[in-house]
Amino acid sequence: MRNYNFSAGPSMLPLPVLERVQRGLTDYEGTGISVMEMSHRSKPYQAINDEAEARLRKLMNVPENYDIIFVQGGASMQFEAVPLNIHRSGKADYVVTGNFSGKAYKEAKKYGDMVEAASSADKNFTYIPKLDKSMFRPDADYVHICYNNTIFGTRYSSVPDTGNIPLVGDISSCILSQEIDVSKFGALYAGAQKNVGPAGVTIVIVRKDLQDCANPVCPTMMKWSTQIKEKSLYNTPPCFSTYVAMEVFRWLEELGGVKAVQKMNEEKAKILYDFIDNSKFYTNNVEKEFRSLMNVPFVSPSEELDKEFVSAAAKEGLLTLKGHRLVGGMRASIYNAMPIEGVKKLVDFMAKFEKANG
Ligand SMILES: Cc1ncc(COP(=O)(O)O)c(C=O)c1O
């Protein structure tokens, strides 16, 4: 029996991927060993590494003047890798729209003259501030944004225009869930454990002109060019996580790619938001234009009912619906691998709970 897991991450993986991985677990494609036991210098692993890169490039339509690397350390390590790698004037501007962009800003401040160019803290991060290129310092090395805010359930409705200043995006919780024009960014990064695969691998996509300006103190392991030169094989990579990611990329292609999955995600999110908006019992207070497709926070009329909701839902196989401690209430993360049936089952449960407690 499989439950519907609404966790913000690590989160659900597609069942066909899990089954494929299971089939190859003890004997990967006739090698007689699993990917977990395989040298990263072996031919089968090199093929996995190459295929993962090529498939991701195709899925995200990554232009030729960008490199893709698979690294360790999570998105959190990139909070520091970004200022250490893009270091010219030593200045950078941050847009703070939630917990993770706030953390990125805090870490970056250790390495230069960083400023908060805009924030949505005034309304508890329930919207994305209006941005204009005049708000950024013309000599900033980059502008940093978090495209989808996992905890507060907001996302940018379009890519902000930063003029000639490179835009850097944390896309940890929306990568591959919707079309994103990579050419509008200088660099993008994402932890895998939401839409890509198991935790342990982090994707970084960097434009070529931003690969030779690292701060000299940047640790070798955090320097993007170290892994770019070695095609992500400078040291022992997270082989198994990258392998599962490659299977997820295959699955996504079979579904019809990002455009097709975006349509499914829009359909799923609409079911949930429409239900919440039509209910007098549940509330989502994110400004509609900025509602996330992936993370849907909501509350019931009281904290006691929220608690009851989460435990009663779990008994019905609807798992990990507790909201983040910064927001409270509930949060349904409906990443690519969450089937529409899971969302429908959640909404049915919400209706039942409302009837019993409203
Ligand atoms: C948007 C965003 N950025 C960064 C992180 C931190 O990622 P990691 O745990 O891979 O360091 C998360 C984790 O949930 C996230 O949602």
Side-chain angles (χ1 to χ4, degrees):
M1 197 246 330
R2 291 272 298 161
N3 286 321
Y4 292 115
N5 178 16
F6 292 89
S7 167
S11 38
M12 274 185 96
L13 283 166
L15 185 59
V17 168
L18 292 175
E19 286 170 344
R20 244 195 108 116
V21 170
Q22 184 182 39
R23 283 198 293 277
L25 200 61
T26 53
D27 176 10
Y28 177 74
E29 295 196 349
T31 56
I33 59 173
S34 76
V35 176
M36 281 181 276
E37 304 161 295
M38 198 174 271
S39 163
H40 57 295
R41 308 283 173 210
S42 68
K43 272 210 172 113
Y45 188 74
Q46 301 256 344
I48 290 169
N49 190 53
D50 289 349
E51 185 175 334
E53 203 253 47
R55 283 191 187 273
L56 184 62
R57 188 176 288 280
K58 189 168 165 218
L59 281 166
M60 288 185 70
N61 204 9
V62 178
E64 280 307 308
N65 61 327
Y66 288 73
D67 284 292
I68 300 174
I69 47 175
F70 299 100
V71 299
Q72 305 202 39
S76 300
M77 199 169 88
Q78 297 307 313
F79 295 165
E80 294 182 77
V82 168
L84 283 164
N85 277 278
I86 312 180
H87 181 81
R88 284 180 176 135
S89 67
K91 296 179 181 177
D93 293 356
Y94 278 73
V95 182
V96 176
T97 52
N99 184 54
F100 293 110
S101 50
K103 276 187 168 171
Y105 174 49
K106 180 170 162 252
E107 295 303 326
K109 277 202 280 191
K110 296 191 280 194
Y111 303 108
D113 168 13
M114 311 305 175
V115 297
E116 186 184 274
S119 163
S120 53
D122 60 334
K123 290 189 188 159
N124 198 27
F125 303 117
T126 51
Y127 71 105
I128 300 292
K130 204 168 164 37
L131 302 176
D132 182 276
K133 59 183 169 209
S134 65
M135 294 162 76
F136 307 114
R137 293 174 292 179
D139 60 342
D141 285 337
Y142 60 88
V143 172
H144 181 281
I145 62 166
C146 178
Y147 206 72
N148 182 81
N149 296 282
T150 324
I151 295 174
F152 295 92
T154 61
R155 67 160 171 166
Y156 282 76
S157 49
S158 60
V159 178
D161 177 11
T162 53
N164 291 327
I165 315 168
L167 180 61
V168 175
D170 174 356
I171 51 168
S172 294
S173 49
C174 60
I175 185 169
L176 295 168
S177 69
Q178 63 172 95
E179 289 187 296
I180 291 178
D181 185 350
V182 174
S183 72
K184 291 193 171 156
F185 291 84
L188 287 161
Y189 62 90
Q193 63 273 20
K194 301 161 198 304
N195 267 332
V196 172
V201 63
T202 309
I203 291 164
V204 185
I205 304 173
V206 193
R207 210 169 62 202
K208 288 201 188 291
D209 64 293
L210 297 173
Q211 297 176 8
D212 61 354
C213 51
N215 185 327
V217 305
C218 180
T220 305
M221 277 297 293
M222 277 165 93
K223 213 164 157 182
W224 295 332
S225 60
T226 304
Q227 293 288 12
I228 289 167
K229 271 190 215 120
E230 303 293 334
K231 290 195 161 297
S232 308
L233 298 173
Y234 168 75
N235 68 322
T236 316
C239 301
F240 192 72
S241 299
T242 305
Y243 159 60
V244 180
M246 185 273 278
E247 292 288 7
V248 170
F249 301 155
R250 281 185 181 174
W251 171 79
L252 263 177
E253 258 189 60
E254 283 159 18
L255 279 186
V258 176
K259 203 185 177 111
V261 91
Q262 174 172 346
K263 219 170 141 243
M264 294 176 202
N265 288 332
E266 284 165 352
E267 203 183 327
K268 289 187 294 184
K270 187 172 178 340
I271 293 173
L272 193 46
Y273 284 121
D274 281 354
F275 178 80
I276 293 170
D277 290 343
N278 286 321
S279 143
K280 291 204 168 57
F281 187 82
Y282 301 102
T283 322
N284 164 283
N285 55 15
V286 170
E287 282 184 25
K288 283 192 182 165
E289 180 189 348
F290 305 113
R291 281 174 163 179
S292 169
L293 273 186
M294 297 283 97
N295 311 99
V296 183
F298 56 96
V299 291
S300 76
S302 75
E303 278 179 31
E304 291 71 43
L305 283 171
D306 289 346
K307 258 195 207 143
E308 260 179 57
F309 179 100
V310 172
S311 64
K315 286 189 192 120
E316 304 223 3
L318 302 164
L319 307 186
T320 340
L321 280 158
K322 188 171 184 293
H324 190 277
R325 61 187 182 282
L326 292 174
V327 180
M330 283 70 75
R331 171 178 49 177
S333 293
I334 47 175
Y335 297 117
N336 287 352
M338 172 62 68
I340 193 161
E341 293 75 26
V343 177
K344 287 184 178 159
K345 188 169 170 186
L346 172 62
V347 163
D348 287 347
F349 173 78
M350 288 168 79
K352 206 171 75 181
F353 189 83
E354 176 174 354
K355 209 165 164 212
N357 297 283

